[in-house]
Every structure is written in C-alpha cells, then in structure tokens.
Amino acid sequence: MSTEVDAVVVGSGPNGMAAAVTLARAGLSVEVYEAQPTIGGGARTLDLGLAPGVTHDICSAVHPLAIASPFFVDFDLRARGLEFTTPEISYAQPLDGKPAALAFHDLEKTVDHLGAAGPEWRRFFAPLLDRVDDAIWLSLGDKRSVPETLRDLPGIANVVKFGLRLLSQASPAWNIPLSHESSQALFTGVAAHAIGGLPAMGTAATATMLSTVAHAGGWPSPIGGSQSIIDYLVADLEAHGGTVHTDARIDHVSDMPAARAYLLDTSALNAAQIFSGLIPSHVDKALRSFKHGNAAAKVDFVLNGPVPWSDPDVGRAGTIHIGGSRAQMAAAEAQVMSGRMPADPVCLVSDPTVFDPSREVNGLRPLWTYAHVPFDCPLDPTEYITRQLERFAPGFRDRIVAHNAIPASEMAGHNQNYIGGDIATGIVSFYRMMARPRTSWDNYSLGVPGAYLCSAATPPAPGVHGMNGWFAARRALKSRFGITEAPSLAPGD
C-alpha cells in the first residue's frame, strides 16, 4: 500500500461523491477512485460518437431529488450556479386512442386536466403537500433513525397520511382510491420506476414520494446534462483538498492506499470482493447473496426533430412513461419479474432538447430511453422501444438518425454497479428498503472497522439524491474520526 490518507472512496457516482464531499469538508484528506475513464457513475453525460457534438445522459437524465433531497438542499447546486429547467408538465402517460394523462408541476392544473379523475388525485396528494419535507425525509431517511421533522404531532400525522396512501396503492384494492383510468395510469407509470411488482410496497412507495415531489419542486433536469451535477461535486471536493483518480479499477483493498476509512459506492457483490478474506463470513455471505432486481436496457437515439406524439401535450413533459393503462403496465412488469421479455415493455423517455435548446446541434437532438426487461437479458432493446414509441408517436422511426443500444446483459460495461442491467443495485422491495443489503442495525458497515458501503445497495433506496453516501460518511466521521457534528455543505463554507 502507498501513502496513508484519511479516507478512500471507491466510485464517483452521486453517492460516492456525496460521501467524499462530506468527509473532505470535515477536514479529512480524501481520494476517490473511479474505474471508468470519466467520472459520474449514474450521472454522466457523454458524446457517444453518434452525431458530432450531440451528448447523451447515459444513465440518469431527470433529477427531482437533486434539488429536493436533504443532502442536495444543503449542498445547494442552484446557489453554486447550476441552472435547472423545470417543465410545467412533470411527467406524461400516453394512452391508446385518447388524450394522455398529464401531471403538471401545479397540482390544481393537474386536477383540472384530469377532469372527472381530478378530485381523487387532489384527495390523494394535497394532504402530502402541506409539509412535503416530511414525505421526503420519510422516504429518504436511513430507516434507522427518526428525522427531526417527523418528531412533532404534524410530522407524525403526515407519516400516517403517507403510510395510508402507500398501503392503498400496494394492495389488490389499489383501484379504489384511484378509480379512473387516467389517474391509475398516471400513478402507475411513476411506480414502475422501481421495476418491480405492481401493486407492491416498494413500487407504491416510489410513486407516492416522486409524485408528491412532482407537485412540489417539480422534476427538473440540469442544463447541459446530468454530468453538471457531478462536476459541481468534484469542484467542491477539490476545493477542500480531495482528489479523483479515473481509470483506476479497484479489485481488492490492497489496490488502494492505506486509509483510516474506506467507503464503497459499489454493488454489494463488489464490496465483498474488494474486502475478500477480511470481512466476517456472515457479512460476506449476505453481501454475495443480496438479490438483484429486474433490469433496464438502454437506447440513446439521435433524432432530426422532436418526437411526433399523437397528443402534442406529451412533448411538453420532462419525462414520459410508456406502457399504456395500469393493467397493461402491471402485466408487462409481471412478465419481466417472471423472466420473460414482454412484447410491450414499460419504457421511460425524455427529450432534453424540449427544455434545454443547447442539447440540439445542427438540427440533431438526443433522445433518452430505457425499457424494463428481465435481469441479464441479452436482447437488443431497440425494436421494443421503437415499437412502443410508434404506438403513441406514429412516424417516430422516420426521425431516427442514429442510435446506440445497450442490452441489460451489457449495462455493467459502462457502470460496474449495474450488474445484469440492475440499475437499482439490488432488488427494491419494502423489506429490502429496510434491510439493504443485509439484515443489520448498521446497513452501511461491512463488518470491518473503517469499511463502509455507501451505494444504492444501502438505505434509503436508489436515485440521484446523495443520501446513501451522506449517511455512510457521517457514520465514518463519528466512529473513525470522533467527529459527531456533520460538516456544513453550504456554498462558501
């Protein structure tokens, strides 16, 4: 091993960088090691060589939690100069033969748009917007402590409100509180982000939280692409003395400098491999057996114009969920869970040029798409996604200039955490939100003094919110360095 540092972080995704920034701001020497030639993990923007100057968000694209999560609220990307664009329509759900269901940033506009379904949508979400931070903390907490915001009577009441709504959408009776096709489909498209059973606790929790945020801060995207988020984190790390090394794959702890703390923004399996022979056998077994979730397969398109949606309002949304009705999406996700490729998979789509004209170059624009597929599926997703887009946007094929497809079985090639296309770094179920990646009071500890897991394989859940890294870093500060007060993340500090 080389010269000792205070802390080593493996992986430069949002959680790894959140951990690194937190540690560096506490006055520690920090080094980050990234296996890829570019930094960012699940928040990278690259030129894939499909069209000169056209860049693509190769993992995440839309970031409601980059302004709403407690970590990013404190870090305050906007105050640092990062500009976000927040669409008037947070997300859209195209429907066969009828107008799409739209979720506006403004709740009352959504209610008006949904017509007969509007009152039930208001009844579901309006009570959660009274204190939206409660819903965010409930969803993004470490699942082991009670946040300050939830300790008073209004906070407890909001926990009950959130829990009742979650339970209603996690049971076979989920069609009672949302009884209209448009509201059902609109909610279910968000639930499908978790790529799991419908209905189920994990998917219902995802939809309840993200839909609430959509009517509060909205679902914004950073101007220039996801990479901008990482660039600001790296700049802050370097300003506080930290260093990032790229093309630096870590296979074992012996590949790293001696350090007092190691934080791994990796899969549970990779963490076990890195500390192979050093961690207790029961921890090693639990990490290696942490079940993978279902998968996503990615296609980045270059288009010569906007997507020709049958309902033009769909083109005003920042995110589009494609899958049709609630029943159709539930059936498609059930096939994925059983290991079968659905003919009409659930797809996520975003056209960044609609809100960020700088993404269009010489009349060409990127289109970001995912399809939900079985774990480790080797199939090229291009035709599946194209057919689904043609279903709601006839003539889409004629807009395609180039594309780059990554089957689920190859997703780990550009992000080592995405084994088999599992972009959540482990199954997302209600139990596995609590016991993630193993049943333990401290889900971040690897059972070795100073060794922590800080990736999406830990609580609270996947997403570009930095909370996993922040929680792990705060534990490291306390147990390894005797620093009990979390450092300020504010710009200028």
Side-chain angles (χ1 to χ4, degrees), residues 124 275 279 353:
F124 197 98
F275 279 93
I279 58 179
T353 303

Side-chain angles (χ1 to χ4, degrees), residues 25-378:
R25 279 176 161 259
L28 305 181
S29 57
V30 181
E31 294 192 11
V32 178
Y33 289 82
E34 170 56 54
Q36 295 291 326
T38 57
I39 57 174
R44 282 181 290 162
T45 306
L46 298 176
D47 185 338
L48 300 178
L50 299 179
V54 176
T55 59
H56 302 265
D57 296 309
I58 66 168
C59 299
S60 56
V62 179
H63 298 281
L65 299 178
I67 61 169
S69 86
F71 171 80
F72 278 117
V73 166
D74 288 352
F75 191 74
D76 202 344
L77 287 160
R78 283 173 165 160
R80 294 169 184 271
L82 179 55
E83 184 180 354
F84 285 87
T85 175
T86 304
E88 181 188 15
I89 300 174
S90 296
Y91 55 93
Q93 184 77 32
L95 297 169
D96 292 298
K98 59 188 67 175
L102 309 173
F104 289 79
H105 183 180
D106 183 88
L107 175 62
E108 289 308 313
K109 284 188 177 181
T110 306
V111 170
D112 290 343
H113 158 76
L114 289 174
E120 64 185 20
W121 193 264
R122 182 194 288 115
R123 284 194 297 272
F124 197 98
F125 288 107
L128 300 180
L129 293 173
D130 291 339
R131 290 186 16 158
V132 70
D133 287 349
D134 293 345
I136 292 171
W137 264 113
L138 184 63
S139 301
L140 298 184
D142 63 3
K143 316 305 182 192
R144 296 295 182 274
S145 59
V146 180
E148 192 76 31
T149 183
L150 300 178
R151 295 178 187 174
D152 58 15
L153 287 177
I156 295 170
N158 272 7
V159 170
V160 173
K161 293 175 188 176
F162 187 93
L164 289 174
R165 283 155 177 77
L166 188 160
L167 288 170
S168 77
Q169 292 304 297
S171 77
W174 64 337
N175 288 336
I176 295 176
L178 298 177
S179 61
H180 291 75
E181 180 185 13
S182 56
S183 57
Q184 291 172 357
L186 196 58
F187 185 93
T188 308
V190 186
H193 278 239
I195 321 182
L198 295 169
M201 289 287 282
T203 49
T206 298
T208 304
M209 187 268 287
L210 287 178
S211 297
T212 301
V213 171
H215 294 309
W219 283 13
S221 295
I223 296 294
S226 299
Q227 187 72 50
S228 303
I229 296 171
I230 298 297
D231 290 345
Y232 276 92
L233 287 165
V234 171
D236 190 85
L237 172 67
E238 292 177 343
H240 289 84
T243 304
V244 180
H245 307 274
T246 56
D247 279 319
R249 183 185 174 97
I250 302 297
D251 293 313
H252 190 262
V253 68
S254 59
D255 298 331
M256 298 182 282
R260 294 176 64 188
Y262 299 91
L263 290 91
L264 308 186
D265 184 8
T266 70
S267 69
L269 174 61
N270 286 342
Q273 293 169 339
I274 289 171
F275 279 93
S276 178
L278 299 175
I279 58 179
S281 59
H282 70 282
V283 176
D284 183 85
K285 181 179 179 181
L287 293 174
R288 292 177 186 271
S289 61
F290 182 42
K291 186 178 179 181
H292 288 292
N294 298 299
K298 183 80 158 52
V299 180
D300 291 296
F301 290 97
V302 175
L303 308 181
N304 60 12
V307 177
W309 300 105
S310 296
D311 183 341
D313 282 338
V314 174
R316 299 165 55 203
T319 302
I320 301 97
H321 304 129
I322 297 182
S325 68
R326 166 172 276 186
Q328 289 169 332
M329 286 183 284
E333 295 292 85
Q335 290 180 63
V336 167
M337 292 183 69
S338 68
R340 294 178 290 131
M341 181 67 201
D344 301 310
V346 173
C347 300
L348 274 67
V349 177
S350 183
D351 182 350
T353 303
V354 171
F355 311 102
D356 181 2
S358 71
R359 301 295 294 274
E360 181 174 285
V361 180
N362 296 324
L364 301 179
R365 60 206 287 153
L367 185 73
W368 179 99
T369 70
Y370 269 132
H372 293 176
V373 303
F375 177 76
D376 209 29
C377 178

Side-chain angles (χ1 to χ4, degrees), residues 142-144 282-283 286 431-432 434-447 459:
D142 63 3
K143 316 305 182 192
R144 296 295 182 274
H282 70 282
V283 176
Y431 170 68
R432 282 303 182 185
M434 302 291 183
R436 189 173 185 84
R438 62 192 181 96
T439 305
S440 170
W441 181 250
D442 187 354
N443 291 79
Y444 307 92
S445 172
L446 291 172

